[in-house]
Amino acid sequence: LYDPTEGRVLFNGTDVRTLNRREYYHLFSAVFQQFSVLETTVAENVAQSTRFDAKRIDACLEQAGLLEKIRELPDGLSTHVGKTVFEDGVDFSGGEMQRLMLARALYHNAPIIVLDEPTAALDPIAESDMYQKYNEMTNGRSSVYISHRLASTRFCDRIIMIDNAEICEEGTHDELLKSNGKYAELFKVQSKYYKEGDAG
């Protein structure tokens, strides 16, 4: 999505800098670690427009695991997000905001979805729920999932491990564990941490 400082980024063999940027960006839905939330309604935040399809918003909120929470609010989809502009606004938790951004990306319905640490603010149960729904959420799309937590990579079809700005390993979760390289080493370290944490 950014111009490279070195080399080229190719899309189907074409340098992205030669493409129409507006058309190119429409191919992507993204959930970044840093995002902007509008001081407007839940529905307008998801659709990023004052014109929207309420049923589609409900479906995206359901997939993102936030619909039940929204339905509990007095004004539902018309609830204002944040309290800076509207006194009746609602402040969501970090995990709820992440789910709202996921619903926004799903609503955009682009053929390529990019998720950058989308579970960072979720508790372990919510994180597990999202992994189980991941295939459903990305069905029919190409998806890029960026994470430092190797427990979250098991459901990915192809894992690319980057170390020192280079691809150092590539394969499925099982293949990379069998190769006993950097990925396997980090996975063992991280899983040991989780096991010790569970035992305590």
Side-chain angles (χ1 to χ4, degrees):
L1 300 177
Y2 295 105
D3 284 338
T5 53
E6 292 181 40
R8 297 183 299 158
V9 175
L10 303 178
F11 184 80
N12 288 340
T14 303
D15 191 319
V16 297
R17 287 173 290 197
T18 67
L19 301 175
N20 178 300
R21 279 301 169 101
R22 185 175 290 275
E23 291 177 7
Y24 176 65
Y25 289 152
H26 275 294
L27 298 173
F28 297 90
S29 291
V31 179
F32 298 116
Q33 291 184 62
Q34 295 181 333
F35 46 78
S36 60
V37 179
L38 307 172
E39 292 268 338
T40 183
T41 67
V42 170
E44 290 167 348
N45 260 289
V46 173
Q48 293 189 287
S49 172
T50 55
R51 299 175 66 184
F52 52 82
D53 179 338
K55 285 184 179 178
R56 198 164 129 219
I57 287 176
D58 277 354
C60 294
L61 288 168
E62 174 70 33
Q63 281 188 299
L66 194 59
L67 184 60
E68 190 176 328
K69 166 72 177 180
I70 301 304
R71 285 185 170 165
E72 289 172 357
L73 300 173
D75 296 320
L77 292 178
S78 298
T79 301
H80 292 109
V81 179
K83 296 185 176 183
T84 306
V85 177
F86 297 96
E87 290 182 5
D88 65 345
V90 172
D91 287 326
F92 291 119
S93 69
E96 289 166 347
M97 289 302 293
Q98 227 165 5
R99 288 178 181 275
L100 186 67
M101 293 304 101
L102 178 58
R104 178 188 284 180
L106 294 170
Y107 188 87
H108 185 56
N109 200 31
I112 302 167
I113 186 165
V114 180
L115 304 173
D116 184 7
E117 299 279 14
T119 63
L122 301 181
D123 62 64
I125 294 172
E127 186 177 20
S128 175
D129 178 58
M130 184 173 164
Y131 296 153
Q132 291 180 34
K133 289 182 176 178
Y134 187 76
N135 284 337
E136 178 190 338
M137 285 189 287
T138 59
N139 187 34
R141 307 175 201 187
S142 295
S143 60
V144 178
Y145 186 94
I146 303 162
S147 182
H148 291 89
R149 294 194 234 187
L150 301 191
S152 68
T153 58
R154 289 178 149 180
F155 60 86
C156 298
D157 298 319
R158 179 181 173 212
I159 298 166
I160 296 173
M161 185 161 183
I162 298 173
D163 187 32
N164 292 321
E166 293 184 348
I167 295 174
C168 64
E169 292 180 55
E170 186 177 346
T172 65
H173 175 76
D174 290 338
E175 287 169 352
L176 292 175
L177 286 184
K178 284 178 186 174
S179 69
N180 214 27
K182 184 94 173 174
Y183 179 93
E185 179 188 341
L186 285 176
F187 183 79
K188 286 170 190 171
V189 168
Q190 289 185 10
S191 61
K192 181 183 175 189
Y193 169 78
Y194 283 122
K195 286 173 187 173
E196 287 175 354
D198 291 342

